[in-house]
Amino acid sequence: MLRFYSFLLLLLATLRALAQSTGVLTGTVRDRKTQESLPGVTVILEGTTLGAASDAEGRYRLTDIPVGSYNVRASIIGYDMLLRANVVITSGNASIINLELTSNTQQLSEVQVVGSRAIRVATAETPLSVQRINTEEIKSNPGGNFDISKVIQTLPGVGGGGTGGTSGFRNDIIIRGGAPNENVYYLDGIEVPVINHFQTQGSGGGPTGILNVSFIEDVTLSSSAFEARYDNALSSVLQFRQRDGNPDRVQGNVRLSGTEVAGTLEGLLAKNTTFLASARRSYLQLLFKAIDLPIRPNYWDFQYKVTTKLSPKTTLTALGLGAIDHFELAVPRKSSPDKEYTLRSTPTIDQWNYTVGFGLRQLLPDGYLNVALSRTQLDNELDQFEDRTTTEESRRVLLTRSGETENKLRLDVNKAKGRWQYAYGAVGQYVEYDSRFFSRVRREVRDAQGQIVSPRVDVRFQTAIDFARFGAFGQLTRTLLPDDRLTLSAGLRTDGNSFTTGGANLLRTLSPRVSASYALAQRWNLNASVGRYYKIPPSTILGFRDEAGTLVNKNARYIRSDHYVAGLEFLPTAASRFTLEGFYKKYSNYPVSVRDGISLANLGGDFAALGNEAVQSTGEGRAYGAELFFQQKLTRKVFAVASVTAFRSEFSGTDGQYKPSAWDTRFLASALLGRKFSKGWEMGFKYRFAGGSPYTPFDLDASQASYLAVGRGVLDYSRLNTVRLANFQQFDFRLDKKFNWRRTSIDLFLDLQNAFLLKTPSLPTYSFQRTPDNTDFLTTDGQALRPDGSNAFPILLQDDSPNLTPTIGFILEF
């Protein structure tokens, strides 16, 4: 042991001796409205005398920068100043930061007014309900483990990861009381339906994200006031903007930790062509086994981006994203026979998916044209047996074999002239979905004499559908009053399809929206928006067939959500921001289960698939509340984020009565504090709180009587979502130490999720108590278990054990 510590001290001393203290910052500057390159923009590092001006092609480059973290400011007359906070300079990789400036009509005497807008995220089309985080904020987020889906859970109105009725190990994103499948995701303008491993088909979420943070420049979350260009969004639009590869030299990084190993490489592929490529392999299954958690996620993922500048005005981008997944629950070492029996009855999941696409951007006079062509494919397999120790078909409980393919073509034109901006475009999609489904609803039950008391009931169907989706939009924006104090934006969208009854009638989905932003004073803005949004039901609903082979959900309507939002924004400095917003969302045409008469929003979603049943589009819903948000970008080596959201989320079924949805936690709060120290040290803390999620209790008498037949407890829907779990709390911690030397750097990190070992509330599971050797059920009279379970020992299994997930690793840049 003494030799090991001596070696470690010698290694640290060697690293310090070899340390090199300078790095490079480079990128391009463009006009946000027209995407034209901006020459002559001054780019400086706050707190230093270092700076540069962009050249004729909009490129800038700063060299010999002392390693560390900086706020980057970009400014030029006629444009709002832009602040990019917490840009990390290392000697390993050049930092590539592309900047987009927004033009204005301010006079030279009003520089202070322009400066106060530097932190503002809002755009003319989306003046409120929008947040942005950059790559360094993702990398350094405590408990985030480089996972974008976990990082955004610190933003206002965002639940998931143990809140909103979701499991603590999953990435389901719940925004303002809406379902996980109400969000849409765009990667460099190309829609990416799957951003998480082990996604629930027809919904969203999964234990960990797919996107490689090394590719990401920033992430923008809009939770309302969506531009008309985005279809199928009811709760949010998440835009992931990737950077380009380094045009000057080949560089890369390797990330190794207790959870994964990942490699990224980038550079110049050919003249005017750069590339980014990465691969990642999970070790989560080994970590969870070591710390005795039952979760066993196992995955690979791959990602690439190739950018070619065909001419000064034409850029072609090719991108791809894919994953291979296997998931199961294992029995931990510390377990009871009852929990072991339940865990062995859970399904295994095997998935693969990919998205590939091409994006073409052509600069036009006063604007630009975007064309995007993409293909996404998902394959989903689930197998569940009464006991996973056997794979006998006679003991099969569930089988799913499903696939979904989407081919998409998008086109939009964007123009800006004077105080006017406008955009229009269209989208066409071809969708294919197939599924083979089997579920054992009731097992066969026999009495002591071998006579059948309850026959076996199976549900099975096979389906395959294909159809077209299409849509079009227009958006118009205008600034008014002196100094552009008032901005108005209006949009109109419509969507249709060739499958559902009346789906081709574009008048049924006309979705107008309007937003306004008024500068009350130098640092105060009043914002408001009203909009109507539509979403087609997932393919798992549309493709469902009954036992006769009939497509029973062809009458399903587009789900509608009307948003009413108003807010106040205060910008005290160029690096700090407060927002206060109130929102009301009204849902119509929400799918309701024909079998149970319950809205799917009140049922939530399991980890298999959502919507494999007959539904009717008669449900109503509402979600309303208020949010307070504070953000402090890097200032005097400290950065912070805090948010509080109070809300309600309620939906109705066939009875017309509003009841809490599965995501109605009522209260969300989060806080993040980071501090950068000298000599490459950085520390961060994150805290999240959510009210208890509602759930439906078991009907104990019915559960005991039918447990042998159905293999699970029977929920008492007369008390739908009337009971709540305990409040959710989690505290995360992260510590980093960076070393830099010639063209190489290392970031050593320690990341602790749930560092204070706080309990994670979870839903109870109904079962019968097992014998100590786990060979049979324990009975009150020592005899065989009766078919009606009357001599069983019913038990509700609770698993709220605190789980600490430690991650120790390093990032090597070269």
Side-chain angles (χ1 to χ4, degrees):
M1 183 63 69
L2 181 60
R3 290 182 178 179
F4 172 76
Y5 283 118
S6 299
F7 171 76
L8 184 60
L9 290 172
L10 179 61
L11 176 62
L12 292 175
T14 303
L15 292 176
R16 195 172 291 113
L18 293 174
Q20 178 172 322
S21 56
T22 62
V24 174
L25 173 66
T26 186
T28 59
V29 188
R30 296 183 180 277
D31 184 301
R32 193 192 72 81
K33 296 177 183 177
T34 67
Q35 291 299 298
E36 290 278 0
S37 299
L38 286 180
V41 176
T42 300
V43 180
I44 64 170
L45 303 184
E46 285 187 344
T48 75
T49 58
L50 297 174
S54 57
D55 62 19
E57 296 180 351
R59 292 197 62 187
Y60 71 93
R61 181 179 176 86
L62 284 77
T63 59
D64 298 324
I65 306 171
V67 295
S69 297
Y70 299 89
N71 289 346
V72 178
R73 287 179 183 253
S75 60
I76 190 174
I77 294 174
Y79 287 82
D80 289 340
M81 184 179 66
L82 179 68
L83 173 73
R84 286 296 301 270
N86 202 5
V87 174
V88 175
I89 304 298
T90 70
S91 59
N93 287 173
S95 295
I96 302 172
I97 304 295
N98 295 320
L99 308 172
E100 292 187 354
L101 303 188
T102 302
S103 60
N104 63 47
T105 59
Q106 302 290 339
Q107 302 300 314
L108 290 177
S109 60
E110 295 172 316
V111 174
Q112 189 175 9
V113 177
V114 178
S116 68
R117 298 178 182 176
I119 193 177
R120 198 170 191 222
V121 181
T123 64
E125 299 82 7
T126 307
L128 77 174
S129 302
V130 59
Q131 311 294 340
R132 180 175 295 140
I133 51 179
N134 62 36
T135 181
E136 186 57 31
E137 291 168 324
I138 298 169
K139 291 177 181 178
S140 62
N141 188 277
N145 197 24
F146 309 99
D147 190 334
I148 298 170
S149 298
K150 286 184 172 65
V151 173
I152 66 171
Q153 291 167 12
T154 60
L155 299 179
V158 181
T163 70
T166 66
S167 294
F169 66 89
R170 286 174 60 85
N171 277 349
D172 303 86
I173 300 173
I174 313 295
I175 296 181
R176 289 181 170 176
N181 65 358
E182 295 180 13
N183 312 306
V184 295
Y185 313 102
Y186 285 84
L187 186 65
D188 287 347
I190 291 177
E191 186 176 357
V192 182
V194 183
I195 67 165
N196 286 303
H197 291 281
F198 317 102
Q199 175 155 313
T200 299
Q201 193 165 5
S203 182
T208 190
I210 296 176
L211 296 173
N212 184 348
V213 68
S214 295
F215 282 50
I216 302 300
E217 189 159 295
D218 57 47
V219 181
T220 302
L221 169 67
S222 304
S223 50
S224 191
F226 316 131
E227 288 187 55
R229 72 179 70 240
Y230 300 116
D231 64 310
N232 238 30
L234 297 182
S235 280
S236 82
V237 176
L238 264 166
Q239 302 170 64
F240 305 96
R241 188 170 62 149
Q242 299 183 112
R243 62 182 180 83
D244 295 331
N246 190 339
D248 300 317
R249 71 175 181 93
V250 174
Q251 65 180 34
N253 66 68
V254 175
R255 185 170 73 242
L256 178 64
S257 70
T259 61
E260 64 188 16
V261 58
T264 301
L265 195 66
E266 62 178 289
L268 192 66
L269 193 63
K271 185 179 179 180
N272 295 326
T273 300
T274 61
F275 77 94
L276 281 161
S278 73
R280 179 171 58 159
R281 174 73 167 94
S282 164
Y283 291 136
L284 273 173
Q285 71 277 20
L286 302 179
L287 173 65
F288 290 158
K289 182 178 181 180
I291 61 179
D292 205 29
L293 291 180
I295 311 163
R296 298 291 187 271
N298 187 357
Y299 60 83
W300 286 84
D301 59 48
F302 312 90
Q303 191 171 344
Y304 71 85
K305 178 183 180 181
V306 178
T307 305
T308 302
K309 197 163 187 178
L310 300 176
S311 74
K313 293 185 176 293
T314 308
T315 303
L316 177 66
T317 301
L319 60 83
L321 181 70
I324 303 170
D325 304 333
H326 175 79
F327 180 84
E328 62 184 59
L329 292 177
V331 178
R333 295 185 296 273
K334 296 180 180 179
S335 182
S336 66
D338 316 297
K339 289 184 178 181
E340 180 177 343
Y341 178 76
T342 302
L343 288 170
R344 292 194 187 282
S345 302
T346 56
T348 60
I349 303 174
D350 288 280
Q351 284 186 358
W352 57 261
N353 68 82
Y354 69 84
T355 295
V356 294
F358 293 90
L360 180 72
R361 173 163 292 180
Q362 175 69 49
L363 299 187
L364 306 172
D366 302 317
Y368 58 96
L369 163 73
N370 285 326
V371 180
L373 177 65
S374 64
R375 175 181 173 90
T376 296
Q377 187 168 1
L378 169 69
D379 184 86
N380 187 31
E381 298 183 5
L382 288 93
D383 293 285
Q384 182 177 351
F385 296 86
E386 294 177 15
D387 186 338
R388 204 184 308 134
T389 58
T390 179
T391 56
E392 295 180 11
E393 286 300 316
S394 62
R395 305 193 68 182
R396 180 181 288 278
V397 176
L398 176 70
L399 178 144
T400 296
R401 300 290 185 270
S402 61
E404 192 167 357
T405 304
E406 296 181 357
N407 302 283
K408 305 177 183 180
L409 176 63
R410 295 179 180 273
L411 180 147
D412 59 76
V413 175
N414 306 268
K415 292 274 193 171
K417 198 169 185 68
R419 289 186 163 188
W420 292 92
Q421 295 180 60
Y422 64 92
Y424 58 89
V427 59
Q429 304 182 35
Y430 176 61
V431 180
E432 298 174 281
Y433 171 75
D434 65 85
S435 178
R436 181 162 61 94
F437 179 81
F438 166 83
S439 176
R440 179 150 297 163
V441 179
R442 297 182 66 90
R443 304 168 182 164
E444 181 183 274
V445 179
R446 296 176 179 267
D447 60 18
Q449 290 71 42
Q451 300 298 314
I452 296 177
V453 176
S454 176
R456 186 176 74 187
V457 178
D458 296 338
V459 172
R460 64 181 77 226
F461 72 87
Q462 187 164 347
T463 186
I465 61 173
D466 63 291
F467 59 97
R469 287 174 51 191
F470 40 86
F473 81 93
Q475 186 100 25
L476 182 65
T477 304
R478 174 76 155 89
T479 56
L480 302 165
L481 304 182
D483 302 327
D484 296 342
R485 292 176 66 89
L486 176 65
T487 301
L488 299 177
S489 185
L492 183 65
R493 179 173 190 91
T494 184
D495 292 280
N497 72 88
S498 63
F499 180 79
T500 61
T501 303
N505 184 355
L506 296 178
L507 296 178
R508 295 176 65 173
T509 58
L510 282 176
S511 51
R513 61 209 65 188
V514 61
S515 63
S517 179
Y518 180 72
L520 292 171
Q522 182 173 300
R523 295 180 175 88
W524 292 86
N525 297 291
L526 179 64
N527 309 301
S529 72
V530 177
R532 173 166 292 175
Y533 311 101
Y534 284 96
K535 172 183 172 57
I536 191 171
S539 297
T540 49
I541 288 179
L542 299 180
F544 177 76
R545 297 177 187 264
D546 61 15
E547 293 184 357
T550 304
L551 291 165
V552 297
N553 291 329
K554 290 199 70 172
N555 289 326
R557 298 283 299 270
Y558 277 76
I559 306 169
R560 192 181 92 187
S561 181
D562 296 336
H563 290 204
Y564 307 88
V565 188
L568 193 63
E569 181 180 45
F570 175 48
L571 309 171
T573 70
S576 57
R577 181 167 69 107
F578 290 87
T579 63
L580 175 64
E581 293 186 6
F583 62 90
Y584 184 90
K585 299 195 294 185
K586 175 67 175 175
Y587 290 87
S588 304
N589 306 333
Y590 211 91
V592 173
S593 170
V594 172
R595 179 184 63 228
D596 302 316
I598 298 172
S599 171
L600 297 191
N602 293 335
L603 294 174
D606 58 23
F607 306 151
L610 178 69
N612 278 330
E613 60 179 305
V615 301
Q616 52 188 355
S617 298
T618 57
E620 302 285 331
R622 61 192 180 194
Y624 54 92
E627 297 173 351
L628 177 64
F629 177 69
F630 166 72
Q631 183 178 32
Q632 174 69 57
K633 293 290 188 178
L634 184 64
T635 303
R636 297 177 182 175
K637 298 186 177 182
V638 174
F639 56 94
V641 173
S643 67
V644 176
T645 304
F647 73 100
R648 290 204 173 196
S649 174
E650 303 168 325
F651 287 79
S652 66
T654 54
D655 61 1
Q657 299 296 312
Y658 280 106
K659 297 173 183 177
S661 75
W663 314 290
D664 181 47
T665 55
R666 303 286 177 91
F667 190 80
L668 296 169
S670 65
L672 184 150
L673 178 65
R675 175 70 161 88
K676 292 181 179 288
F677 301 91
S678 59
K679 299 183 180 179
W681 288 96
E682 181 176 343
M683 186 181 298
F685 307 89
K686 183 174 69 177
Y687 173 76
R688 291 194 298 136
F689 174 91
S693 301
Y695 70 95
T696 302
F698 291 107
D699 183 325
L700 298 181
D701 292 336
S703 296
Q704 184 168 0
S706 63
Y707 182 77
L708 269 188
V710 300
R712 60 185 179 275
V714 177
L715 297 177
D716 184 358
Y717 285 131
S718 67
R719 296 189 290 161
L720 178 67
N721 287 349
T722 56
V723 186
R724 290 184 178 268
L725 297 175
N727 295 334
F728 170 88
Q729 296 184 78
Q730 183 168 306
F731 178 86
D732 303 325
F733 169 78
R734 184 181 175 93
L735 180 66
D736 288 77
K737 174 67 172 86
K738 294 181 174 65
F739 296 93
N740 292 272
W741 58 96
R742 191 174 186 275
R743 286 202 170 186
T744 311
S745 66
I746 283 184
D747 180 359
L748 305 178
F749 63 87
L750 167 66
D751 190 278
L752 301 177
Q753 295 182 40
N754 198 19
F756 287 172
L757 290 174
L758 301 173
K759 291 184 177 181
T760 303
S762 62
L763 296 175
T765 303
Y766 186 93
S767 184
F768 285 168
Q769 194 168 342
R770 302 283 292 178
T771 58
D773 60 2
N774 206 13
T775 58
D776 208 345
F777 292 108
L778 195 65
T779 58
T780 58
D781 54 10
Q783 303 299 313
L785 185 65
R786 297 172 191 153
D788 63 359
S790 58
N791 62 338
F793 284 98
I795 185 173
L796 288 178
L797 299 175
Q798 298 281 167
D799 187 10
D800 57 358
S801 303
N803 297 317
L804 169 66
T805 306
T807 303
I808 302 174
F810 68 84
I811 305 171
L812 171 66
E813 294 184 350
F814 54 89

